[in-house]
Amino acid sequence: MKIKLVETQPIDPREFDLPEKFSPKNIEDIAEIFQTPMTGHYNWDYSDADTRIKKLYELGKELNWDGSIDLDWSQGIGRDEFPVKAEMLARLEGPLSMLDEKDRLEYMRHDQAWALSQFLHGEQGALLVASQLVSCAPTYQAKLYAASQTFDEARHVEVFARYLQRIHGLEYPCNKNLKALLDKTLTDPRWDLKFIGMQIVIEGLALAAFQTTKETSNCPLLRQLVHYVIRDEARHVTFGINYLTEFLQTLTEEELEDRAQFAYEACVVMRNRILNTELPAKWFGISEEEILETVMNNETQDIFNNLLFNRVMPNLKKIGLLTDKVLPLYEKLGLLGFADADSDFEVDWAVMTKPLESSKEIDKQSEQELKVSQKIMEEATASLAN
Ligand SMILES: [Fe+2]
Ligand SMILES: [Fe+2]
């Protein structure tokens, strides 16, 4: 076993040959240390009431899927196929639309590998946070639930890593702003803050990003993979809200304000700072600052970024983190409009308990959901023009 300790994560993307053949001898684990002052809890009351958290735990056990058996790896696209659906390709604009087909394909392969790499690193963060919660959560049911979530996250890390290595043959490092948010969540001593960062903000947004991938991906394997991950994440978010709604009420006003500020800052990082600026900078010779500015001033992009918050905002409101102090800040970001939608506190158990769908059913959903999303985007863009 070789473990190489590093101060910071590697900065270069990594390429994998096809088919990848690793022997234990040529694996070198690259590890970075983080310190966390955790306060753990034993629990000495094993009695079990019938609560939503218990129900979610039971569901987690029941709906366990296995990426090696339940995903059809023969359905992955080749490296000569575009990673997004034809209707998405037709909408390309800017420098990307000017590239010849070969270069556009190469660019888009790297671009998707970058995005999926962020999913992968986020999933590792979720794995580490969920495992911390097993110790930190004070109640019996929450410990069991966090343990089942830990196993979900392990499978998510596994399937995203495998997809990147086999299908794209590429893996990008963690975006530095995402890494900073993961660092903060993992090293903070307050377990409820970890919970807010991971279960409400990061997972809430990840859900929206996975959904977009399910709708726009040209790869049946990836659509199925993210759909199964979405099913798990929906349980995680529901657990977070149910548990936090009660717990946060026990905090003082000052403590609550602290959490509200943290959640707001996490939202800003997730909304504005997790962008792939390196790839376009390298390909098109534009500075990263310039790219950032173009993206920030693009109204359509703005609408799209905000739509990603349509689940996070009602959830933040439900758990009591839209305090008077942070409300104007969210308003400035244009996110307040989503706050009054239904939260994930009350869930649709019929949807949640459905058996896992087949690849064919998922493809059908993907088509329908893409149409709905495009309509929402078009309406939002039109209302902006008026
Ligand atoms: Fe996950
Ligand atoms: Fe999760």
Side-chain angles (χ1 to χ4, degrees):
M1 186 198 290
K2 271 188 275 176
I3 300 174
K4 182 174 155 195
L5 283 183
V6 291
E7 287 296 314
T8 51
Q9 62 159 342
I11 48 168
D12 294 319
R14 206 176 148 189
E15 300 212 24
F16 300 87
D17 289 332
L18 192 76
E20 99 267 12
K21 277 200 189 98
F22 297 127
S23 86
K25 261 197 281 162
N26 48 40
I27 291 183
E28 178 184 59
D29 280 290
I30 304 169
E32 178 188 335
I33 292 171
F34 67 83
Q35 306 283 356
T36 180
M38 276 200 320
T39 303
H41 295 84
Y42 289 105
N43 183 289
W44 301 121
D45 182 356
Y46 302 100
S47 40
D48 210 6
D50 219 0
T51 62
R52 287 207 188 115
I53 291 170
K54 157 121 178 162
K55 227 167 150 181
L56 287 167
Y57 172 62
E58 292 297 328
L59 264 186
K61 289 189 291 177
E62 195 183 310
L63 294 172
N64 241 311
W65 46 274
D66 182 343
S68 306
I69 297 170
D70 298 310
L71 296 179
D72 184 354
W73 290 89
S74 70
Q75 294 285 306
I77 51 167
R79 292 188 193 161
D80 54 350
E81 290 176 82
F82 278 100
V84 297
K85 288 180 182 167
E87 53 258 66
M88 305 311 296
L89 284 177
R91 286 163 179 253
L92 288 182
E93 45 184 41
L96 193 51
S97 63
M98 256 93 94
L99 292 179
D100 68 30
E101 192 166 309
K102 188 172 151 278
D103 283 348
R104 196 179 309 141
L105 179 71
E106 187 62 2
Y107 181 91
M108 292 181 80
R109 180 167 80 90
H110 279 265
D111 190 44
Q112 191 181 64
W114 185 90
L116 295 181
S117 298
Q118 305 319 309
F119 291 173
L120 168 67
H121 304 307
E123 293 292 357
Q124 185 188 173
L127 170 69
L128 300 176
V129 172
S131 70
Q132 291 185 356
L133 286 173
V134 178
S135 283
C136 298
T139 64
Y140 170 57
Q141 286 188 332
K143 283 185 189 299
L144 297 193
Y145 184 81
S148 89
Q149 181 177 334
T150 304
F151 188 39
D152 288 345
E153 306 300 6
R155 296 187 340 268
H156 299 173
V157 174
E158 175 204 332
V159 293
F160 279 118
R162 199 186 302 174
Y163 187 90
L164 279 162
Q165 291 170 15
R166 286 201 192 170
I167 306 300
H168 289 309
L170 268 172
E171 191 188 288
Y172 273 84
C174 186
N175 169 278
K176 65 177 191 303
N177 297 310
L178 175 61
K179 173 70 169 36
L181 186 55
L182 294 176
D183 281 343
K184 168 81 182 141
T185 310
L186 279 162
T187 58
D188 199 280
R190 297 161 290 186
W191 70 266
D192 64 295
L193 195 132
K194 294 174 190 295
F195 227 52
I196 295 164
M198 186 47 76
Q199 311 280 118
I200 309 293
V201 181
I202 302 181
E203 302 218 300
L205 283 163
L207 255 176
F210 294 157
Q211 180 61 33
T212 306
T213 306
K214 178 185 162 192
E215 290 168 16
T216 57
S217 167
N218 191 30
C219 175
L221 165 62
L222 184 59
R223 291 195 292 262
Q224 191 190 15
L225 184 160
V226 286
H227 177 77
Y228 288 174
V229 173
I230 286 170
R231 298 258 335 228
D232 293 343
E233 300 301 352
R235 280 196 308 279
H236 304 168
V237 173
T238 305
F239 167 58
I241 295 157
N242 276 276
Y243 206 54
L244 283 169
T245 302
E246 282 177 27
F247 179 79
L248 292 182
Q249 284 166 4
T250 67
L251 298 181
T252 65
E253 210 173 299
E254 196 185 329
E255 287 168 333
L256 194 70
E257 206 55 65
D258 229 32
R259 272 63 171 178
Q261 192 63 37
F262 166 73
Y264 166 73
E265 281 160 19
C267 284
V268 173
V269 171
M270 293 296 284
R271 184 186 183 279
N272 298 341
R273 310 220 183 107
I274 304 181
L275 289 169
N276 182 3
T277 48
E278 301 134 50
L279 194 62
K282 197 169 126 197
W283 271 67
F284 303 117
I286 317 167
S287 76
E288 290 191 43
E289 294 72 39
E290 216 177 311
I291 294 162
L292 210 55
E293 215 185 294
T294 318
V295 175
M296 301 294 258
N297 292 325
N298 181 325
E299 286 177 328
T300 317
Q301 184 69 37
D302 232 29
I303 296 172
F304 178 75
N305 288 347
N306 282 353
L307 280 173
L308 294 176
F309 281 81
N310 67 354
R311 280 176 94 154
V312 175
M313 293 307 290
N315 291 343
L316 285 173
K317 184 176 176 187
K318 175 72 195 166
I319 61 176
L321 290 186
L322 295 188
T323 60
D324 289 346
K325 272 205 186 133
V326 294
L327 271 180
L329 303 174
Y330 284 108
E331 181 148 35
K332 256 196 212 151
L333 287 181
L335 293 177
L336 263 197
F338 300 113
D340 291 325
D342 290 341
S343 77
D344 287 296
F345 183 75
E346 293 293 346
V347 287
D348 188 341
W349 289 102
V351 174
M352 201 88 115
T353 48
K354 263 199 315 199
L356 288 168
E357 295 86 345
S358 69
S359 187
K360 249 198 192 138
E361 285 171 277
I362 295 165
D363 291 347
K364 215 161 122 198
Q365 282 179 10
S366 161
E367 288 302 319
Q368 288 161 350
E369 289 163 358
L370 177 62
K371 278 195 193 113
V372 174
S373 298
Q374 285 183 330
K375 198 158 167 247
I376 295 173
M377 266 305 281
E378 275 158 24
E379 281 169 6
T381 319
S383 77
L384 198 75
N386 293 329

